Amino acid sequence: LFATACISVASKFEEAKEYCPPVRDLLVLTKLSHAGYTPLSFQDYEIEVLQCLEWKIRAIPPIRVVGYFLSRGVIFETDTWKGRTLLKTIPDYIKKYAEFFC
């Protein structure tokens, strides 16, 4: 129940409203509705999650940090590797690997 509430809070924070599953659907999908939970009772658990986080939900995921530095240029024209200039595709590779590992 608590994990589902965490997912719900995260999706409401990160996603556009039309992409967030309605609480009623989420309860059916996780079979919590069979255990007697209603959207109203589930809301109490979402509030508990927020209280555990002290309402500080402005966490920045690593991929956003990587995106920021890639947009600022982490590879410079003067960078070299083993005495050679870098290929033009290196920034694309860095972005690809960063997205994969983040």
Side-chain angles (χ1 to χ4, degrees), residues 15-69:
E15 297 294 332
K17 184 178 180 179
E18 58 269 12
Y19 296 117
C20 293
V23 172
R24 187 175 313 280
D25 294 350
L26 195 58
L27 292 175
V28 170
L29 182 68
T30 57
K31 299 183 178 150
L32 290 171
S33 62
H34 301 307
Y37 293 101
T38 65
L40 191 57
S41 65
F42 185 74
Q43 186 178 24
D44 293 337
Y45 285 94
E46 289 179 321
I47 291 171
E48 187 175 334
V49 167
L50 291 168
Q51 288 173 339
C52 286
L53 296 171
E54 296 177 353
W55 293 82
K56 296 176 185 174
I57 57 172
R58 185 62 184 124
I60 300 172
I63 194 65
R64 298 275 171 97
V65 175
V66 169
Y68 171 80
F69 283 112

Side-chain angles (χ1 to χ4, degrees), residues 79-95:
D79 287 345
T80 60
W81 184 65
K82 293 187 177 182
R84 296 181 183 163
T85 58
L86 299 177
L87 300 172
K88 300 270 188 222
T89 56
I90 294 293
D92 293 332
Y93 285 120
I94 289 175
K95 182 179 181 190

